Amino acid sequence: IGEHPIVLVDDDGGESYESYYTSALNANGYSHVYWNVSTQGSPPLSELSKRKVVIWFTSMEGMFTLTGLDERNLEDYLDAGGTLFLSSQDYLGERFEGFARNYLHVQGFTADVYSSSEAGVPGDPVSAGLDLATDYPFWNYSDDITPGANAGCILTNSTGNPGALRHAEQWILGVF
């Protein structure tokens, strides 16, 4: 009844990686709406604002992972208290600017570290016990990231460095 609490934004350039996300959401009983950027364009703020959670993935789409308008819409959504999970292989390399620093709370990064896995941080409420092994789709494009202020590592990669973070004051998750 009512709006779905989650919007799954498929921004992978027409690839079929959405199956990983839809399978996980469906298997766990999470009601969601699917938004395909290739066929529908970027979701407007009015669409994002209807949802409690935005899951946005770009996979290894190397150009225009998020546009300036996408970032502004996400900033407004987050400023209003929204929750974001962003997974992107090339976003930081393409647009390491204001949104990445001020909203995703990434202080720095090293691109393409060839990580074969991501493991949860013991005691973390999001990632403890997680193990994303070698079937991780784009291991050669994973990044080491340095969390900024009030952000913490939630996944370490096979290089032993942070590969994902969350912001401590708001549920903003980024896997790079």
Side-chain angles (χ1 to χ4, degrees), residues 33-106:
V33 63
Y34 174 76
W35 189 281
N36 188 322
V37 172
S38 292
T39 60
Q40 296 173 272
S42 291
L45 179 58
S46 60
E47 176 61 31
L48 301 177
S49 297
K50 294 178 192 176
R51 315 300 171 189
K52 292 182 180 182
V53 176
V54 172
I55 300 173
W56 195 310
F57 66 95
T58 70
S59 296
M60 61 182 279
E61 181 67 22
M63 297 295 295
F64 310 112
T65 52
L66 291 180
T67 67
L69 179 58
D70 293 335
E71 291 173 331
R72 285 187 300 281
N73 285 341
L74 287 170
E75 288 171 1
D76 289 344
Y77 169 76
L78 292 169
D79 286 344
T83 300
L84 173 64
F85 174 85
L86 172 65
S87 177
S88 178
Q89 302 309 129
D90 286 321
Y91 173 72
L92 294 176
E94 181 186 334
R95 297 185 61 88
F96 188 60
E97 299 169 359
F99 182 71
R101 292 177 186 271
N102 300 327
Y103 283 84
L104 301 179
H105 303 279
V106 176

Side-chain angles (χ1 to χ4, degrees), residues 116-158:
S116 60
S117 65
E118 299 279 342
V121 173
D124 184 82
V126 174
S127 68
L130 286 178
D131 184 16
L132 305 174
T134 56
D135 62 348
Y136 186 67
F138 306 112
W139 63 271
N140 57 327
Y141 290 102
S142 295
D143 298 339
D144 285 346
I145 57 174
T146 303
N150 296 319
C153 172
I154 62 167
L155 294 173
T156 56
N157 58 37
S158 60

